[in-house]
Amino acid sequence: MPAPATEQPSAGPVPRHVAVIMDGNGRWAEQRSLPRAAGHRAGARTVRTTIEHSVRRGVAALTLFAFSSENWQRPAEEVGVLMQLFLEALDREVAELDAKGVQLRFIGDRTRLAPALVARMVAAEARTAGHRQLDLVVAVAYGGRWDLTQAARQLAGKVEAGTLEPGMIDEAALGGCLTTAGRTEPDLFIRTGGERRISNFLLWDLAYTEFWFTDTLWPDFDESTYEGAFADFAHRQRRFGRTAAQLGSS
Ligand code: IPE
Ligand code: IPE
Ligand code: MG
């Protein structure tokens, strides 16, 4: 549901953890007869404003999908532009995130990323480690299936080493091997750009997340649109399998 332009901060509960598929950069550029790279550059600006608004509204954790396992299949030129933009964004933004008390971490398959980029990512994680204002995770070269697969590999390794009985593998054991281990599960999932799909984002973690979709293209996603998602979220009844009557009496 697109938000009205005058959306005010909603009075209801703010999601503690928001997960976002930032989609629509390419179409935003194409609508303006610009190269797709211009859309990605505009999208990077929206990342900054979204982080700022999350901090203002007291969101505790934010997970942003920046580049999926499947995005490697894009033309090499576009992949190169995106990698260059990540590098530039890190160089430009990390000091500000550090000053704002934002803890920045990355999830995804780092073996596929250039060593220079990984080095910047590691440095940014070290610099912002322990900050509590916002737990920000950026998913780069990430896929939900990749995450589940690497978790399975870890568990198999423990079984082989004799430190884990197969019968002891429960949801906590598997969840504890995911790259998202230790974080709360997302309360609110937002996808911009009009598509209604997960596109291999956090497959395990989104099991009970509230979904919110908007046709707004990511570079146009602003405070007002974000507030629209919050307002909608505030009216959701999260039952986690129970009945509404059970919730009312709890
Ligand atoms: C999202 O925008 C950014 C990435 C996937 C890296 P897109 O590039 O997918 O934009 P559209 O969907 O083509 O408009
Ligand atoms: C999902 O967007 C991935 C990111 C936003 C990083 P895509 O644009 O790649 O998704 P599909 O391929 O249209 O599902
Ligand atoms: Mg897209």
Side-chain angles (χ1 to χ4, degrees):
M1 185 178 69
T6 54
E7 193 75 52
Q8 292 298 310
S10 62
V14 171
R16 283 166 309 160
H17 182 172
V18 180
V20 188
I21 296 187
M22 310 183 289
D23 196 20
N25 294 348
R27 278 163 288 165
W28 184 92
E30 282 154 20
Q31 283 173 4
R32 289 162 178 75
S33 304
L34 294 169
R36 290 176 62 86
H40 294 311
R41 219 167 281 121
R45 289 193 287 275
T46 307
V47 171
R48 172 194 267 250
T49 56
T50 302
I51 293 168
E52 287 169 354
H53 197 56
S54 300
V55 170
R56 260 197 303 278
R57 296 290 266 117
V59 170
L62 180 65
T63 305
L64 301 175
F65 203 7
F67 190 90
S68 74
S69 315
E70 289 68 34
N71 289 148
W72 291 115
Q73 299 172 78
R74 292 193 178 194
E77 189 196 337
E78 179 163 350
V79 171
V81 163
L82 285 163
M83 294 299 149
Q84 184 58 33
L85 282 174
F86 293 146
L87 212 78
E88 289 171 15
L90 276 174
D91 287 347
R92 199 178 53 234
E93 306 290 344
V94 169
E96 184 67 24
L97 295 176
D98 187 26
K100 282 194 165 69
V102 175
Q103 171 171 269
L104 172 61
R105 287 177 296 161
F106 297 91
I107 54 173
D109 185 358
R110 295 184 187 199
T111 65
R112 302 196 63 182
L113 299 172
L117 178 57
V118 175
R120 255 38 163 248
M121 287 159 58
V122 169
E125 288 178 328
R127 179 166 178 176
T128 62
H131 286 343
R132 289 284 167 268
Q133 191 64 48
L134 177 71
D135 166 22
L136 173 63
V137 166
V138 179
V140 181
Y142 178 87
R145 288 178 176 178
W146 166 81
D147 206 355
L148 285 161
T149 305
Q150 67 77 30
R153 208 178 296 127
Q154 284 185 53
L155 292 172
K158 290 178 189 176
V159 169
E160 191 182 34
T163 57
L164 180 67
E165 288 287 326
M168 299 294 285
I169 298 174
D170 57 9
E171 292 186 8
L174 178 52
C177 290
L178 294 172
T179 58
T180 52
R183 303 181 82 218
T184 60
E185 289 168 16
D187 299 297
L188 174 64
F189 162 99
I190 295 173
R191 182 172 186 146
T192 63
E195 312 295 354
R196 267 78 172 154
R197 55 182 176 246
I198 293 187
S199 300
N200 199 15
F201 196 22
L202 307 162
L203 297 179
W204 175 274
D205 316 70
L206 294 174
Y208 257 108
T209 301
E210 297 296 326
F211 281 54
W212 192 82
F213 298 95
T214 176
D215 291 338
T216 301
L217 303 173
W218 178 248
D220 293 328
F221 182 83
D222 58 10
E223 277 179 33
S224 167
T225 325
Y226 202 0
E227 283 300 330
F230 285 160
D232 195 335
F233 175 81
H235 293 106
R236 305 277 180 100
Q237 185 185 50
R238 307 188 70 193
R239 292 191 288 278
F240 298 100
R242 296 179 178 80
T243 65
Q246 281 179 299
L247 297 176
S249 64
S250 66

